[in-house]
């Protein structure tokens, strides 16, 4: 008798501060199981003095409606508090999801988190 183990999809999220900007790197499958971890990191990023946040989605392989909701809530909270939240590395299925839902106009997007930082730094100068 053999048993097959379901390999649980991995999800990673980390928060680093780069030149005063919070960079939240997200990887793996962003779904309802992973959403609380993302929410926690986005809230921590929003509490930083600059209130500038880049959410790097380069390594996201999947995002469901719950994950997308977390991003929308974070964007709204950022805008309401005078902060700024942008996405980077959006491509593939995540990019298609943004277009299908009409959210592509809601989020400012950059190809890389480094590009987003350069843009934010140039605007602060």
């Amino acid at each position: 008798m053999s048993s097959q183990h379901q390999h649980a999809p991995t999800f990673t999220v980390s928060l680093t501060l780069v030149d005063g900007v919070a960079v939240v790197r997200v990887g793996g499958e962003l779904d309802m199981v992973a959403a609380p971890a993302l929410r926690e990191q986005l809230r921590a990023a929003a509490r930083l003095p600059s209130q500038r946040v880049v959410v790097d989605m380069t390594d996201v392989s999947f995002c469901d409606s719950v994950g997308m909701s977390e991003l929308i809530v974070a964007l709204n909270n950022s805008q309401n508090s005078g902060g700024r939240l942008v996405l980077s590395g959006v491509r593939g299925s995540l990019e298609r999801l943004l277009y299908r839902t009409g959210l592509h106009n809601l989020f400012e997007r950059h190809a890389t988190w480094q590009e987003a930082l350069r843009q934010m730094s140039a605007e602060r100068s």
Side-chain angles (χ1 to χ4, degrees), residues 4-78:
Q4 290 194 333
H5 297 285
Q6 290 277 342
H7 183 266
T10 58
F11 175 77
T12 60
V13 60
S14 65
L15 169 61
T16 55
L17 201 56
V18 182
D19 296 332
V21 177
V23 178
V24 177
R25 290 186 181 92
V26 185
E29 295 193 5
L30 176 52
D31 57 15
M32 63 184 273
V33 174
L38 177 62
R39 182 183 319 122
E40 181 181 318
Q41 293 299 321
L42 290 172
R43 286 180 177 168
R47 290 191 295 269
L48 295 171
S50 78
Q51 295 186 336
R52 293 180 297 157
V53 180
V54 176
V55 183
D56 181 28
M57 307 292 282
T58 301
D59 295 325
V60 171
S61 58
F62 172 80
C63 181
D64 70 5
S65 61
V66 177
M68 188 57 62
S69 293
E70 291 298 334
L71 294 171
I72 294 168
V73 167
L75 177 66
N76 288 336
N77 289 343
S78 175

Side-chain angles (χ1 to χ4, degrees), residues 26-28 55-63 68 87-100 109-114:
V26 185
V55 183
D56 181 28
M57 307 292 282
T58 301
D59 295 325
V60 171
S61 58
F62 172 80
C63 181
M68 188 57 62
L87 301 180
S88 68
V90 175
R91 60 181 178 268
S93 63
L94 181 57
E95 186 173 37
R96 287 189 298 277
L97 177 63
L98 286 175
Y99 275 91
R100 265 189 260 126
R109 291 171 289 137
H110 296 272
T112 66
W113 65 267
Q114 296 94 333

